[in-house]
């Protein structure tokens, strides 16, 4: 549109072409350098449950109004305890589902009777704010079957995760997009 | 009650004995045929849909080029801007974006553990390559940050040159700082201080929301303030346009130098023909050019020295360095928030070593950054002395966002489009 075809090759056109060639060479060199460091798949953010120190920042530091981090329950690790230290606050009045007994500020954990003396604990993700209170209780005194994970149906996969920046345990890692969770599993030795 | 006590006792026993064992309470064997549920794992969007982002980006770039160079339509550009704002802005929430991709590239170059997603690489390279040939078509209608500012611009005021020129250097400095921080693994400054992303997400820190509102309010009267005075990717694009083969022109026909387009660019990109400018005598400007050429290495050296002095304070922004410092201090005075220190206390060696390594990287990075600052200023001084010859009114390709506003002010363009009756044209050509 711009270079007039009648215009003779002048100094500016020549300089422009030279700069273009130089820049394209630079881009090529960059590509070559990056070839080894490029992953076809891409990555997403995830919490390494082994590193999380339950500092509670997951609830507040996410860029989303409602944190993308939620509590996840590894049922296979759970002891189905009647006195769940992730569910009940310290020294509960009684072992019932009354709110004042619960550790969770939003009553996001559903406690269901399975069989004597076992209870199942299920996280209602709509209510969970990812505050890690239950995770702390469960890890301190229980089996550690409750843990936090970035839920990828909510996470917008920020270039730099805003929670990773402040996470006290430095627990946020980039994981390959086809293995987006770091779930706790039953320990093989026990 | 008894069961509860039993549990508690059992727990205490285990706590004292095998505090580190994974399972303090053995998982039960259920008699009622209860099936263990498995935790759900919703798939990340990044799986397949990230390629959709690339397809949208490349199509939008192609469409923008076509709108700027073929149809030359402001309306088309506005429509595409609206789409890009909706897709990359509100739907993708401003992530993945070309502006931030600079940091991923820098990190990938310096940290062998970081794998650069191929989609991010494309977001980095595609707009840059286009700029290398045909100017900032990306900024015209593809970048959501650009689009939101372009759409709020109602009454552009002219920014005087004495203000515009120095402010226009900030993007280069921000680019340098962003690359330096990303390369040392200290965080993504460019993402953190993007004032427009909070609008896309309807959320953000008070500081960033405040900044965003300030930028948009200023954007009502100053064309695209973020693009012109902050955006680091814009700085790269501006450099790329130095080599651009095709330039945006007010009219593909001849410029009659009527000067009607002179004030049409809200971004101060329009340059007048050199014949219309006042110029100082050749000798003075030659002398000045020579001075600045000699000054360039001095500025770079000074900058590098200044940068190296900044290395230690700058490295404190790195989390590992900060943590190591806190740990060392906590040995004498107790720390107020000891939770963060747990992982250092468990094993201080690696963290302290890592912090030292990062300090060294910062020494190099800050020196380079300082040199870069000197270079930016030096080159700007030199470029201010260069004389260019222009016969027509034309937008400066580095500054021009290809928004197509100036086209419609040009009478030749109006005739070309048939908006001005043909008789006028024949009358004109008879003259
Ligand atoms: S205690 Fe916190 S992390 Fe646990 S379920 Fe409740 S809101 Fe979620
Ligand atoms: S990547 Fe962004 S959206 Fe996802 S958890 Fe981190 S801050 Fe939240
Ligand atoms: S910010 Fe880190 S340490 Fe704190 S609760 Fe979240 S994952 Fe755990
Ligand atoms: S200058 Fe930066 S923010 Fe503005 S349109 Fe271009 S890339 Fe986007």
């Amino acid at each position: 549109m711009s270079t007039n075809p009648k215009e003779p090759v002048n100094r500016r056109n020549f300089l422009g072409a030279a700069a273009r060639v130089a820049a394209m060479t630079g881009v090529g060199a960059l590509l070559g350098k990056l070839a080894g460091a490029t992953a076809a798949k891409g990555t997403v953010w995830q919490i390494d449950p082994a590193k999380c120190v339950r500092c509670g920042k997951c609830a507040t530091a996410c860029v989303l109004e409602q944190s993308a981090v939620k509590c996840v329950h590894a049922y296979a690790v759970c002891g189905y305890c009647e006195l769940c230290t992730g569910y009940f606050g310290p020294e509960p009045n009684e072992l019932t589902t009354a709110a004042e007994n619960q550790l969770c500020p939003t009553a996001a954990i559903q406690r269901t009777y399975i069989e004597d003396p076992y209870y199942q604990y299920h996280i209602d993700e709509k209510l969970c704010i990812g505050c890690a209170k239950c995770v702390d209780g469960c890890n301190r005194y229980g089996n550690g079957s409750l843990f936090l994970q970035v839920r990828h149906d909510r996470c917008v996969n920020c270039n730099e995760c805003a929670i990773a920046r402040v996470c006290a345990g430095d627990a946020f890692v980039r994981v390959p997009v086809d293995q987006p969770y770091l779930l706790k599993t039953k320990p093989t030795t026990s | 009650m008894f069961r509860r006590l039993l549990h508690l006792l059992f727990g205490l026993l285990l706590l004292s004995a095998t505090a580190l064992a994974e399972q303090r309470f053995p998982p039960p064997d259920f008699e009622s045929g209860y099936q263990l549920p498995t935790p759900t794992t919703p798939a990340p969007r990044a799986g397949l849909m990230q390629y959709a982002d690339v397809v949208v980006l490349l199509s939008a770039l192609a469409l923008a080029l076509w709108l700027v160079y073929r149809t030359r339509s402001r309306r088309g550009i506005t429509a595409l801007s609206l789409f890009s704002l909706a897709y990359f802005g509100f739907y993708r929430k401003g992530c993945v974006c070309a502006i931030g991709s600079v940091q991923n590239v820098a990190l990938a170059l310096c940290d062998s553990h970081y794998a650069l997603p191929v989609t991010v690489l494309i977001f980095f390279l595609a707009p840059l390559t286009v700029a290398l040939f045909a100017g900032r078509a990306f900024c015209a209608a593809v970048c959501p940050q650009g689009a939101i500012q372009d759409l709020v611009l109602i009454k552009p005021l002219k920014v005087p040159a004495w203000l515009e020129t120095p402010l226009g250097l900030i993007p280069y400095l921000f680019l340098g700082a962003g690359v330096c921080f990303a390369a040392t693994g200290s965080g993504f400054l460019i993402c953190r201080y993007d004032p427009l992303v909070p609008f896309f997400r309807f959320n953000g820190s008070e500081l960033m929301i405040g900044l965003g509102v300030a930028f948009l309010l200023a954007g009502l009267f100053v064309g695209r303030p973020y693009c012109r005075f902050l955006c680091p990717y814009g700085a790269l694009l501006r450099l790329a346009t130095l080599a651009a083969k095709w330039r945006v022109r007010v009219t593909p026909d001849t410029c009659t130098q009527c000067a009607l387009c002179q004030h049409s660019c809200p971004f101060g990109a329009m340059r007048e023909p050199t014949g219309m400018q006042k110029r100082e005598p050749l000798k003075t400007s030659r002398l000045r050019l020579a001075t600045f050429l000699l000054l360039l290495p001095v500025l770079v050296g000074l900058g590098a020295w200044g940068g190296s002095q900044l290395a230690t304070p700058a490295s404190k922004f790195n989390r590992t360095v900060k943590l190591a410092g806190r740990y060392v201090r906590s040995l004498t005075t107790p720390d107020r928030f000891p939770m963060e220190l747990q992982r250092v206390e468990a094993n201080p060696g690696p963290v302290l070593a890592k912090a030292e390594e990062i300090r060294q990287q910062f020494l190099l990075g800050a020196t380079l950054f300082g040199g870069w600052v000197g270079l930016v200023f030096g080159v700007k001084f030199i470029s201010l002395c260069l004389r260019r010859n222009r016969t027509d009114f034309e937008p400066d390709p580095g500054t021009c966002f290809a928004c197509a506003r100036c086209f419609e002010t040009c009478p030749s363009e109006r005739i070309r489009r048939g908006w001005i009756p043909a008789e006028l044209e024949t009358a004109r050509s008879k003259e």
Side-chain angles (χ1 to χ4, degrees):
Chain A
M1 274 289 118
S2 59
T3 34
N4 195 329
K6 281 169 284 178
E7 212 174 295
V9 179
N10 57 25
R11 194 173 57 174
R12 187 206 204 122
N13 286 351
F14 175 73
L15 277 180
R20 216 155 35 241
V21 170
M24 287 314 278
T25 322
V27 167
L30 187 73
L31 270 181
K33 183 104 205 299
L34 284 174
T38 302
K41 288 207 194 74
T43 57
V44 290
W45 290 98
Q46 193 48 273
I47 296 170
D48 180 350
K51 285 166 130 192
C52 169
V53 297
R54 290 94 65 183
C55 69
K57 295 203 174 115
C58 276
T60 50
C62 179
V63 298
L64 300 178
E65 186 81 51
Q66 248 225 38
S67 178
V69 172
K70 305 277 164 198
C71 181
V72 171
H73 197 184
Y75 295 93
V77 185
C78 181
Y80 286 78
C81 319
E82 186 182 10
L83 169 58
C84 167
T85 51
Y87 184 80
F88 293 109
E91 295 169 30
N93 298 331
E94 42 181 354
L95 297 189
T96 66
T97 53
E100 74 266 18
N101 298 333
Q102 294 185 28
L103 201 54
C104 178
T106 59
I109 309 181
Q110 292 158 0
R111 181 181 198 249
T112 355
Y113 173 75
I114 302 292
E115 62 179 57
D116 201 47
Y118 302 127
Y119 286 82
Q120 175 194 284
Y121 298 92
H122 171 78
I123 312 290
D124 183 349
E125 282 195 11
K126 281 198 297 299
L127 295 179
C128 173
I129 55 168
C131 70
K133 288 208 168 75
C134 62
V135 180
D136 194 46
C138 179
N139 273 271
R140 249 178 230 281
Y141 310 111
N143 280 1
S145 56
L146 294 171
F147 58 105
L148 293 181
Q149 288 283 283
V150 174
R151 302 302 278 168
H152 290 297
D153 47 345
R154 299 167 191 270
C155 175
V156 295
N157 197 23
C158 307
N159 203 354
E160 185 198 32
C161 172
I163 315 174
R165 228 148 60 198
V166 293
C167 169
D170 201 19
F172 277 74
V173 285
R174 289 187 173 95
V175 295
V177 70
D178 49 358
Q179 287 159 352
Y181 292 91
L182 297 171
L183 298 178
K184 279 197 169 178
T185 47
K186 199 174 178 151
T188 37
T189 55
S190 83
Chain B
M1 194 60 217
F2 172 71
R3 226 171 24 221
R4 187 178 151 204
L5 266 181
L6 202 78
H7 265 112
L8 266 179
L9 273 180
F10 191 47
L12 285 176
L13 203 90
L14 274 171
L15 249 184
S16 47
T18 57
L20 286 177
E22 258 293 322
Q23 282 172 305
R24 299 186 175 107
F25 308 102
D29 295 315
F30 292 105
E31 282 150 20
S32 57
Y34 167 77
Q35 289 293 316
L36 286 188
T38 39
T40 56
T41 52
R45 185 188 182 285
L48 250 187
M49 289 303 278
Q50 60 178 346
Y51 298 105
D53 297 340
V54 170
V55 172
V56 175
L57 170 79
L58 296 179
S59 332
L61 271 176
L63 191 57
L65 280 173
W66 182 70
L67 288 170
V68 173
Y69 284 100
R70 279 271 164 254
T71 63
R72 302 175 58 78
S73 144
R74 171 71 200 150
R75 199 176 293 170
I77 297 270
T78 312
L80 183 58
S81 297
L82 276 172
F83 166 78
S84 301
L85 179 59
Y87 185 82
F88 291 115
F90 293 110
Y91 176 54
R92 294 296 286 119
K93 306 243 187 309
C95 242
V96 53
C97 102
I99 308 175
S101 69
V102 180
Q103 307 162 107
N104 302 63
V105 171
L107 182 60
L109 284 176
C110 295
D111 178 356
S112 53
H113 297 298
Y114 174 67
L116 178 71
V118 73
T119 43
V120 175
L121 184 62
I122 297 175
F123 265 80
F124 174 70
L125 283 181
L128 212 53
T129 315
V130 167
L132 218 44
F133 284 89
R136 301 168 71 169
F138 175 73
C139 298
V142 187
C143 175
Q145 274 91 340
I148 194 170
Q149 294 172 85
D150 206 275
L151 295 169
V152 298
L153 177 60
I154 45 168
K155 174 120 190 50
L157 304 176
K158 197 170 155 56
V159 181
W162 60 264
L163 194 59
E164 168 120 37
T165 312
L167 286 183
L169 294 182
I170 300 175
Y172 296 101
L173 310 188
F174 193 25
L175 175 68
V179 166
C180 184
F181 263 66
T184 53
S186 311
F188 285 3
L189 281 189
I190 299 174
C191 297
R192 207 177 302 174
Y193 297 110
D194 187 321
L196 298 163
V197 164
F199 288 106
F200 303 151
R201 296 183 172 158
F202 299 115
N203 196 17
S205 65
E206 287 87 18
L207 171 73
M208 288 326 289
I209 293 179
L211 261 182
V213 170
F215 265 99
L216 276 198
L217 283 181
L220 297 173
F221 306 105
V222 177
R224 298 197 185 209
Y226 176 74
C227 296
R228 283 153 82 192
F229 308 128
L230 202 55
C231 176
Y233 193 67
L236 269 185
L237 292 176
R238 190 185 275 252
L239 290 178
T241 57
L242 285 177
K245 189 176 173 75
W246 297 286
R247 302 157 156 256
V248 174
R249 288 191 43 130
V250 186
T251 168
D253 296 344
T254 14
C255 169
T256 57
Q257 310 207 350
C258 66
L260 282 175
C261 63
Q262 193 171 19
H263 301 294
S264 61
C265 180
F267 314 116
M270 195 57 71
R271 301 287 179 266
E272 48 192 17
T274 40
M276 293 172 126
Q277 289 171 339
K278 282 200 290 292
R279 283 191 154 180
E280 57 186 12
L282 190 61
K283 203 158 154 230
T284 337
S285 43
R286 281 224 173 112
L287 201 68
R288 212 157 42 157
L289 180 61
T291 322
F292 283 135
L293 276 175
L294 285 176
L295 203 60
L296 182 66
V298 180
L299 281 175
V300 173
L302 264 180
W305 177 80
S308 68
Q309 300 303 304
L310 279 180
T312 313
S315 71
K316 298 221 172 85
F317 284 97
N318 182 285
R319 295 193 61 210
T320 311
V321 175
K322 197 158 51 180
L323 191 68
R326 271 177 64 185
Y327 170 69
V328 172
R329 254 173 284 129
S330 76
L331 296 178
T332 48
T333 39
D335 197 276
R336 277 196 300 147
F337 305 98
M339 189 176 259
E340 267 100 340
L341 291 181
Q342 279 174 13
R343 69 190 157 102
V344 206
E345 277 154 1
N347 189 5
V351 178
L352 294 182
K354 180 84 195 159
E356 189 46 41
E357 187 191 323
I358 294 172
R359 273 195 212 102
Q360 291 308 318
Q361 288 171 350
F362 256 95
L363 190 59
L364 177 66
T367 312
L368 287 177
F369 171 70
W372 166 251
V373 174
L375 187 73
V376 166
F377 277 92
V379 169
K380 186 75 213 178
F381 288 142
I382 292 172
S383 79
L384 286 177
C385 308
L386 291 181
R387 295 159 159 255
R388 285 187 203 87
N389 283 319
R390 250 187 317 267
T391 49
D392 297 349
F393 278 91
E394 63 176 5
D396 166 46
T399 320
C400 169
F401 296 115
C403 71
R405 283 190 179 83
C406 57
F407 299 172
E408 290 167 10
T409 60
C410 174
S412 308
E413 179 76 3
R414 286 168 167 260
I415 292 165
R416 203 179 60 87
R417 294 195 192 179
W419 293 356
I420 293 180
E423 307 87 71
L424 251 176
E425 187 181 13
T426 36
R428 189 185 61 133
S429 52
K430 273 198 203 109
E431 274 173 20

